[in-house]
Amino acid sequence: MCGIVAYVGTKQCQNLLLEGLKRLEYRGYDSAGIATLENGRIRVVKTVGRVANLEDKLEEVGGVTGTMGMCHTRWATHGGVTTPNAHPHTDDKSGICLIHNGIIENYASLKTLLEEKGHRFVSQTDTEVLAMLIGELYEGDLEAAVQAALREVTGAYGIVVMCEKEPGVLVAARKGSPLMVGVGDGEHLVASDGSALISHTSRAFALEDYQVVKLTAEGFRTSTIHNVPVTPKVQQLEIELESIELGGYSHFMQKEIFEQPKSLRNTFRGRFVVEEGRVILGGLADHAKDLTKARRVVMLGQGTALHAAMIGRYLMEDLAKVPAVAEFASEFRYRNPIIEEGTVAIAVSQSGETADTLAALSEAQDRGALALGVINVVGSTMARQTDAGVYLRVGPEIGVASTKAFVGQVAVLSMIAMWMGRRRYMGASECGDLLRALEQIPSHIERILATDAQIRRVTEKYVDRENWLFLGRGYNYPTALEGALKLKEISYIHAEGMPAAEMKHGPIALINEGMPAVFIANKGRQYEKVMSNIQEVRARGGHVIAVATEGDESIRNYAEDVLFVPDIPEALSPMTTIVPLQLMAYHAAVLRGHDVDKPRNLAKSVTVE
Ligand code: F6R
């Protein structure tokens, strides 16, 4: 959730740290700070607000110098958004300086102990407690002090630490919060995400839980918190610079919406043969037998990923004919879930780092489930924890509001359902027909994107309304939830998504004159029923915006505005019906003057509970 970048080498590091931090700003952006070792002393500059505010502050104070340093962009957990609470945190007595992503759960008891020993705290954060603890345990060896402190700590951390008394040494460690180590020529870097490393080196390794790395310009040593040496696997980072740059778009969210045809083609590449009605998912091959005999599928996720999982549930039941549920990972992990023999748990996640989804997956695995991942970030914690899986291949998603990952998740779940279906009940021609339709979806999305100007005009009509409804049935009930989530998270308009039939059971009381109600009303099994629900809303003064199937001209009699999507099989339709809703949310946020890529209170990748 927080962005971390650190450097040790021979170059002046202020600007390269800031450049890396800007790439990570989507991970958290309520305050930012930098520290370097300047002439043997740690120099910290920090401020509330964005990285741009930090740049202004650095200009005011004449910048910082040094060839070793660290910087951080924060998403507040413990303690409000204030400059003292911003990272880095220091322990002046020992000369320790630290940045942290995660939560130290036993910070309160540690703080009491440290206060008894005379430490005085200037922030309300759990992070400062860790800085003081390392300082308290420091006896001339930073690596050993970090290891000792982390043995006392419960919770999650990705940390980088330096000490005035050990110039040229950075120590980083991880449990629960991802950290990548970049291996350069005469320099080393640490970052919470590979995108901050790529302009310096493409050789990197991920730290594992409970691992500590000691870095100098020349080399590194990796061990556990119990000081057992480990040998990491240095790999090639596969991130293209253009995929993490705006490239002419105004916002990453806009870029990622428009990228969907291309990203979806990547998701599909080499994964099916239409003529043979065959799906080829190499990541599942080793578990083909267990998956064929699966008795139940439990899909786990949060937010947008959960909405994709909910669509996955319909796909599993319809195409694979296997009982399926989709659950909030955060609820599943604390229930006493019953996992019977033959259960397959599928973690759906863009980042592969969401704390609740990870914990729910472990819970399911501990109870005997086979664990699959439908994940975007290659090598992420979740991807490494699963038994098998299928990557989304949609490229880095920078916009905080997830768009292309959602469509990728639904696409992968539909392929998994067909893959299982073919091994269970589905014939080659039935599967071939569906695959033919699936293959066409990128072109269909291109057609929808071409109607962007119309979608913007419709959004303009309603953008001043404070309450919206999103309604759908069947496969497009989760689409309605996702449309509402998109609108609320970036435009701060109150929006409710629900099954259209649920209206009569209470929420219809909300409808008043002119309230926008977005209906996903494409052709499908429940089309007539959706039409009745539309009438009910209109009869009470609601204004209907319908997402409808091309050619359905009669729907104009029932809706104030119609956004058309191509005619495709209902089971695959959420991949197209969501696109106008993504664009509406985007335009609403822009029209209201909000920062689309950095919505208030949010951050990409929720690595805390
Ligand atoms: C909303 C959004 C979130 C994420 C959720 C899970 O636009 O992005 O709701 O979908 O936090 O994140 P991942 O997919 O990384 O597990």
Side-chain angles (χ1 to χ4, degrees):
M1 320 234 349
C2 303
I4 283 180
V5 193
Y7 174 87
V8 56
T10 52
K11 296 179 191 145
Q12 283 297 317
C13 63
Q14 173 189 294
N15 291 345
L16 73 88
L17 287 175
L18 290 173
E19 179 216 326
L21 203 58
K22 279 187 202 152
R23 293 211 190 281
L24 299 186
E25 213 176 358
Y26 68 103
R27 299 180 72 97
Y29 33 80
D30 52 41
S31 41
I34 187 168
T36 57
L37 190 68
E38 194 177 84
N39 304 323
R41 299 304 304 268
I42 279 168
R43 171 118 186 265
V44 177
V45 178
K46 51 190 189 177
T47 179
V48 293
R50 305 282 165 86
V51 177
N53 299 57
L54 179 62
E55 285 178 315
D56 292 345
K57 192 144 179 192
L58 280 164
E59 213 173 296
E60 266 169 43
V61 301
V64 291
T65 60
T67 57
M68 175 170 89
M70 56 176 69
C71 61
H72 186 269
T73 171
R74 178 171 186 244
W75 185 83
T77 56
H78 291 63
V81 180
T82 63
T83 301
N85 286 342
H87 300 211
H89 288 281
T90 53
D91 172 41
D92 294 338
K93 218 163 72 186
S94 59
I96 297 280
C97 176
L98 175 144
I99 50 178
H100 169 222
N101 177 17
I103 293 178
I104 305 301
E105 284 167 5
N106 58 339
Y107 82 102
S109 56
L110 291 170
K111 190 170 181 175
T112 310
L113 274 173
L114 289 162
E115 278 170 341
E116 280 165 15
K117 288 181 184 287
H119 289 269
R120 292 288 161 260
F121 291 85
V122 295
S123 79
Q124 287 92 48
T125 64
D126 50 331
T127 303
E128 193 185 12
V129 175
L130 187 53
M132 298 278 186
L133 180 64
I134 295 171
E136 182 63 30
L137 297 170
Y138 184 71
E139 290 174 350
D141 181 345
L142 182 61
E143 185 191 25
V146 170
Q147 288 167 333
L150 295 179
R151 292 198 291 268
E152 305 295 319
V153 150
T154 54
Y157 52 81
I159 56 167
V160 185
V161 196
M162 62 184 179
C163 177
E164 275 176 4
K165 295 173 188 143
E166 291 183 53
V169 174
L170 278 182
V171 176
R174 161 207 163 127
K175 196 229 145 188
S177 300
L179 277 187
M180 298 290 296
V181 179
V183 180
D185 200 8
E187 59 185 11
H188 288 93
L189 295 100
V190 185
S192 42
D193 185 318
S195 58
L197 303 176
I198 198 70
S199 44
H200 301 282
T201 178
S202 57
R203 297 180 65 228
F205 64 89
L207 271 189
E208 301 282 345
D209 278 353
Y210 302 108
Q211 284 184 358
V212 177
V213 64
K214 175 181 176 176
L215 301 156
T216 60
E218 297 78 31
F220 61 86
R221 174 186 184 269
T222 314
S223 59
T224 67
I225 60 169
H226 297 284
N227 200 26
V228 178
V230 285
T231 310
K233 216 165 117 200
V234 179
Q235 287 179 321
Q236 243 358 73
L237 275 179
E238 310 241 334
I239 301 173
E240 287 164 15
L241 262 183
E242 68 170 41
S243 69
I244 52 174
E245 280 168 359
L246 272 174
Y249 286 93
S250 306
H251 300 96
F252 280 106
M253 181 186 183
Q254 185 192 30
K255 178 182 181 226
E256 287 157 9
I257 293 172
F258 277 85
E259 231 166 49
Q260 290 177 116
K262 182 175 148 210
S263 63
L264 209 45
R265 286 186 180 109
N266 269 339
T267 307
F268 294 157
R269 187 157 298 124
R271 284 177 164 165
F272 51 80
V273 184
V274 175
E275 300 69 31
E276 296 171 19
R278 195 154 63 90
V279 185
I280 308 152
L281 298 175
L284 304 186
D286 287 349
H287 295 274
K289 247 195 194 141
D290 291 334
L291 287 165
T292 309
K293 288 197 254 152
R295 291 203 190 144
R296 190 163 169 261
V297 174
V298 179
M299 279 169 283
L300 303 162
Q302 294 291 143
T304 290
L306 177 67
H307 299 153
M310 290 168 79
I311 296 166
R313 174 194 191 172
Y314 289 82
L315 288 162
M316 289 295 162
E317 290 175 349
D318 270 355
L319 308 183
K321 305 258 184 284
V322 58
V325 290
E327 282 211 49
F328 283 105
S330 55
E331 291 299 314
F332 179 90
R333 65 180 288 194
Y334 288 117
R335 284 199 289 111
N336 194 3
I338 294 160
I339 300 287
E340 291 167 328
E341 211 188 318
T343 301
V344 176
I346 306 184
V348 182
S349 175
Q350 187 285 127
S351 62
E353 303 292 347
T354 301
D356 282 317
T357 311
L358 258 169
L361 187 72
S362 301
E363 189 65 36
Q365 278 176 305
D366 289 349
R367 291 170 187 242
L370 175 70
L372 300 193
V374 172
I375 294 162
N376 193 34
V377 178
V378 176
S380 54
T381 312
M382 222 177 283
R384 284 180 280 134
Q385 190 177 309
T386 47
D387 301 306
V390 182
Y391 280 120
L392 305 186
R393 293 196 204 143
V394 298
E397 192 179 62
I398 313 277
V400 168
S402 183
T403 52
K404 63 177 180 174
F406 173 79
V407 170
Q409 284 156 353
V410 178
V412 167
L413 288 167
S414 70
M415 287 190 287
I416 296 177
M418 286 185 231
W419 184 94
M420 286 171 73
R422 274 291 278 129
R423 280 165 177 74
R424 294 159 72 94
Y425 311 92
M426 200 189 273
S429 76
E430 187 189 343
C431 188
D433 288 347
L434 268 176
L435 290 172
R436 195 165 293 109
L438 191 66
E439 196 179 34
Q440 293 307 313
I441 290 182
S443 328
H444 293 322
I445 295 180
E446 273 158 7
R447 293 234 309 273
I448 300 169
L449 293 172
T451 66
D452 183 40
Q454 187 218 347
I455 296 172
R456 186 184 156 102
R457 278 196 301 278
V458 170
T459 312
E460 259 167 338
K461 275 172 73 175
Y462 302 100
V463 75
D464 58 342
R465 313 291 161 85
E466 290 305 330
N467 295 293
W468 291 49
L469 284 173
F470 286 77
L471 301 157
R473 297 178 81 123
Y475 279 98
N476 282 299
Y477 148 51
T479 316
L481 296 181
E482 178 60 8
L485 176 62
K486 286 290 89 86
L487 188 69
K488 57 189 147 188
E489 66 183 329
I490 55 167
S491 68
Y492 320 141
I493 293 170
H494 173 238
E496 297 257 4
M498 67 189 82
E502 181 64 12
M503 286 291 293
K504 294 191 272 301
H505 301 283
I508 202 161
L510 290 170
I511 302 215
N512 55 16
E513 193 57 42
M515 180 176 187
V518 180
F519 274 88
I520 297 117
N522 56 321
K523 291 277 182 190
R525 278 177 289 197
Q526 299 191 65
Y527 176 77
E528 301 302 336
K529 308 244 179 263
V530 175
M531 288 304 119
S532 309
N533 298 140
I534 287 182
Q535 304 282 25
E536 290 153 14
V537 168
R538 289 198 96 202
R540 287 157 184 87
H543 282 186
V544 171
I545 304 157
V547 175
T549 306
E550 278 171 1
D552 181 9
E553 289 304 323
S554 64
I555 200 160
R556 293 193 194 277
N557 302 323
Y558 306 100
E560 269 71 23
D561 294 281
V562 185
L563 305 172
F564 284 113
V565 292
D567 190 5
I568 61 171
E570 191 183 358
L572 307 178
S573 66
M575 285 177 264
T576 55
T577 51
I578 191 59
V579 180
L581 308 189
Q582 294 169 338
L583 284 169
M584 282 182 89
Y586 172 73
H587 291 308
V590 173
L591 288 163
R592 285 184 162 226
H594 298 312
D595 188 343
V596 174
D597 285 333
K598 297 186 186 68
R600 73 178 179 208
N601 305 338
L602 296 180
K604 194 91 179 153
S605 191
V606 184
T607 53
V608 294
E609 273 189 54

Tab-separated table of all heavy atoms in Angstrom, residues 302-305 348-352 354 357 382 400-402 409 482 485-486 489 604-606, ligand 1:
chain	number	residue	atom	x	y	z
A	302	GLN	N	-11.602	-9.715	-3.183
A	302	GLN	CA	-12.131	-8.507	-2.549
A	302	GLN	C	-12.427	-7.501	-3.653
A	302	GLN	O	-11.736	-7.474	-4.678
A	302	GLN	CB	-11.101	-7.877	-1.607
A	302	GLN	CG	-10.736	-8.708	-0.395
A	302	GLN	CD	-11.829	-8.860	0.649
A	302	GLN	OE1	-11.963	-9.915	1.252
A	302	GLN	NE2	-12.631	-7.835	0.870
A	303	GLY	N	-13.384	-6.635	-3.413
A	303	GLY	CA	-13.658	-5.526	-4.332
A	303	GLY	C	-13.935	-6.006	-5.742
A	303	GLY	O	-14.717	-6.935	-5.990
A	304	THR	N	-13.254	-5.361	-6.679
A	304	THR	CA	-13.436	-5.692	-8.088
A	304	THR	C	-13.150	-7.169	-8.351
A	304	THR	O	-13.845	-7.827	-9.125
A	304	THR	CB	-12.488	-4.798	-8.930
A	304	THR	OG1	-12.990	-3.469	-8.852
A	304	THR	CG2	-12.405	-5.238	-10.366
A	305	ALA	N	-12.103	-7.689	-7.709
A	305	ALA	CA	-11.743	-9.098	-7.930
A	305	ALA	C	-12.882	-10.006	-7.467
A	305	ALA	O	-13.153	-11.042	-8.085
A	305	ALA	CB	-10.449	-9.421	-7.191
A	348	VAL	N	-8.760	-14.845	-6.644
A	348	VAL	CA	-8.807	-13.917	-7.773
A	348	VAL	C	-8.201	-12.600	-7.292
A	348	VAL	O	-8.656	-12.022	-6.301
A	348	VAL	CB	-10.265	-13.706	-8.255
A	348	VAL	CG1	-10.299	-12.789	-9.463
A	348	VAL	CG2	-10.923	-15.042	-8.574
A	349	SER	N	-7.167	-12.145	-7.971
A	349	SER	CA	-6.482	-10.939	-7.488
A	349	SER	C	-5.624	-10.332	-8.585
A	349	SER	O	-4.907	-11.043	-9.275
A	349	SER	CB	-5.603	-11.321	-6.285
A	349	SER	OG	-4.843	-10.213	-5.853
A	350	GLN	N	-5.694	-9.027	-8.723
A	350	GLN	CA	-4.807	-8.345	-9.667
A	350	GLN	C	-3.392	-8.376	-9.110
A	350	GLN	O	-2.467	-8.849	-9.771
A	350	GLN	CB	-5.302	-6.902	-9.868
A	350	GLN	CG	-4.586	-6.119	-10.957
A	350	GLN	CD	-3.192	-5.639	-10.604
A	350	GLN	OE1	-2.227	-5.901	-11.355
A	350	GLN	NE2	-3.026	-4.990	-9.486
A	351	SER	N	-3.228	-7.871	-7.893
A	351	SER	CA	-1.885	-7.678	-7.331
A	351	SER	C	-1.237	-8.982	-6.877
A	351	SER	O	-0.020	-9.102	-6.866
A	351	SER	CB	-1.968	-6.741	-6.134
A	351	SER	OG	-2.770	-7.331	-5.127
A	352	GLY	N	-2.064	-9.921	-6.438
A	352	GLY	CA	-1.511	-11.134	-5.822
A	352	GLY	C	-0.938	-10.858	-4.445
A	352	GLY	O	-0.199	-11.668	-3.891
A	354	THR	N	-3.065	-8.985	-1.934
A	354	THR	CA	-4.131	-8.555	-1.024
A	354	THR	C	-4.140	-9.435	0.229
A	354	THR	O	-4.296	-10.658	0.146
A	354	THR	CB	-5.489	-8.618	-1.770
A	354	THR	OG1	-5.390	-7.757	-2.892
A	354	THR	CG2	-6.637	-8.184	-0.888
A	357	THR	N	-7.115	-11.848	0.893
A	357	THR	CA	-7.237	-12.943	-0.082
A	357	THR	C	-6.149	-13.982	0.174
A	357	THR	O	-6.397	-15.198	0.112
A	357	THR	CB	-7.187	-12.393	-1.523
A	357	THR	OG1	-8.110	-11.304	-1.612
A	357	THR	CG2	-7.527	-13.441	-2.552
A	382	MET	N	0.872	-14.359	-3.745
A	382	MET	CA	-0.236	-15.302	-3.936
A	382	MET	C	0.097	-16.299	-5.052
A	382	MET	O	-0.165	-17.497	-4.929
A	382	MET	CB	-1.481	-14.511	-4.315
A	382	MET	CG	-2.738	-14.965	-3.640
A	382	MET	SD	-4.094	-13.895	-4.114
A	382	MET	CE	-3.855	-12.438	-3.155
A	400	VAL	N	-5.723	3.237	-9.861
A	400	VAL	CA	-6.183	2.621	-8.604
A	400	VAL	C	-7.508	1.894	-8.840
A	400	VAL	O	-7.740	0.817	-8.296
A	400	VAL	CB	-6.269	3.696	-7.493
A	400	VAL	CG1	-7.010	3.169	-6.284
A	400	VAL	CG2	-4.856	4.137	-7.100
A	401	ALA	N	-8.359	2.490	-9.674
A	401	ALA	CA	-9.620	1.809	-10.002
A	401	ALA	C	-9.325	0.744	-11.055
A	401	ALA	O	-8.904	1.035	-12.167
A	401	ALA	CB	-10.622	2.819	-10.537
A	402	SER	N	-9.572	-0.478	-10.674
A	402	SER	CA	-9.223	-1.607	-11.542
A	402	SER	C	-10.178	-1.698	-12.738
A	402	SER	O	-11.397	-1.631	-12.582
A	402	SER	CB	-9.325	-2.876	-10.695
A	402	SER	OG	-8.942	-3.992	-11.441
A	409	GLN	N	-9.738	-10.932	-15.540
A	409	GLN	CA	-10.142	-11.959	-14.573
A	409	GLN	C	-11.355	-12.737	-15.084
A	409	GLN	O	-11.403	-13.978	-15.011
A	409	GLN	CB	-10.474	-11.294	-13.220
A	409	GLN	CG	-9.246	-10.869	-12.435
A	409	GLN	CD	-9.515	-9.742	-11.443
A	409	GLN	OE1	-10.588	-9.156	-11.402
A	409	GLN	NE2	-8.526	-9.442	-10.622
A	482	GLU	N	-20.016	-3.885	-9.946
A	482	GLU	CA	-18.735	-3.324	-10.384
A	482	GLU	C	-18.918	-1.912	-10.944
A	482	GLU	O	-18.100	-1.021	-10.679
A	482	GLU	CB	-18.100	-4.271	-11.415
A	482	GLU	CG	-16.791	-3.808	-12.015
A	482	GLU	CD	-15.663	-3.578	-11.014
A	482	GLU	OE1	-15.804	-3.901	-9.826
A	482	GLU	OE2	-14.632	-3.030	-11.445
A	485	LEU	N	-19.280	0.343	-8.008
A	485	LEU	CA	-17.995	0.523	-7.308
A	485	LEU	C	-17.110	1.507	-8.075
A	485	LEU	O	-16.486	2.399	-7.486
A	485	LEU	CB	-17.286	-0.830	-7.146
A	485	LEU	CG	-15.894	-0.781	-6.516
A	485	LEU	CD1	-15.947	-0.225	-5.095
A	485	LEU	CD2	-15.246	-2.159	-6.497
A	486	LYS	N	-17.061	1.355	-9.398
A	486	LYS	CA	-16.217	2.253	-10.196
A	486	LYS	C	-16.651	3.695	-9.977
A	486	LYS	O	-15.832	4.577	-9.775
A	486	LYS	CB	-16.296	1.926	-11.700
A	486	LYS	CG	-15.575	0.676	-12.144
A	486	LYS	CD	-14.069	0.748	-12.108
A	486	LYS	CE	-13.511	0.325	-10.798
A	486	LYS	NZ	-13.250	-1.046	-10.504
A	489	GLU	N	-15.840	4.987	-6.297
A	489	GLU	CA	-14.452	5.117	-5.828
A	489	GLU	C	-13.698	6.266	-6.476
A	489	GLU	O	-12.776	6.797	-5.872
A	489	GLU	CB	-13.675	3.808	-5.948
A	489	GLU	CG	-13.423	3.314	-7.334
A	489	GLU	CD	-12.712	1.952	-7.331
A	489	GLU	OE1	-11.937	1.669	-6.424
A	489	GLU	OE2	-12.944	1.189	-8.279
A	604	LYS	N	-3.662	1.470	-4.288
A	604	LYS	CA	-3.634	0.207	-5.011
A	604	LYS	C	-3.005	-0.838	-4.099
A	604	LYS	O	-2.061	-0.520	-3.364
A	604	LYS	CB	-2.773	0.404	-6.261
A	604	LYS	CG	-2.889	-0.677	-7.278
A	604	LYS	CD	-3.973	-0.359	-8.270
A	604	LYS	CE	-4.124	-1.404	-9.331
A	604	LYS	NZ	-5.491	-1.426	-9.850
A	605	SER	N	-3.462	-2.054	-4.155
A	605	SER	CA	-2.837	-3.167	-3.467
A	605	SER	C	-2.962	-3.056	-1.949
A	605	SER	O	-2.175	-2.382	-1.289
A	605	SER	CB	-1.352	-3.228	-3.883
A	605	SER	OG	-0.806	-4.413	-3.429
A	606	VAL	N	-3.981	-3.707	-1.417
A	606	VAL	CA	-4.305	-3.569	0.003
A	606	VAL	C	-3.606	-4.676	0.795
A	606	VAL	O	-4.133	-5.776	0.955
A	606	VAL	CB	-5.832	-3.584	0.203
A	606	VAL	CG1	-6.181	-3.347	1.660
A	606	VAL	CG2	-6.471	-2.493	-0.650
B	1	F6R	C1	-11.358	-1.406	-7.133
B	1	F6R	C2	-10.189	-2.197	-6.811
B	1	F6R	C3	-10.222	-3.020	-5.587
B	1	F6R	C4	-9.434	-4.321	-5.780
B	1	F6R	C5	-9.331	-5.080	-4.450
B	1	F6R	C6	-8.593	-6.387	-4.618
B	1	F6R	O1	-11.208	-0.713	-8.331
B	1	F6R	O2	-9.199	-2.160	-7.497
B	1	F6R	O3	-11.524	-3.269	-5.173
B	1	F6R	O4	-10.072	-5.096	-6.740
B	1	F6R	O5	-8.654	-4.288	-3.525
B	1	F6R	O6	-7.324	-6.182	-5.140
B	1	F6R	P1	-6.528	-7.332	-5.864
B	1	F6R	O7	-7.225	-7.635	-7.122
B	1	F6R	O8	-5.162	-6.752	-6.087
B	1	F6R	O9	-6.513	-8.491	-4.924
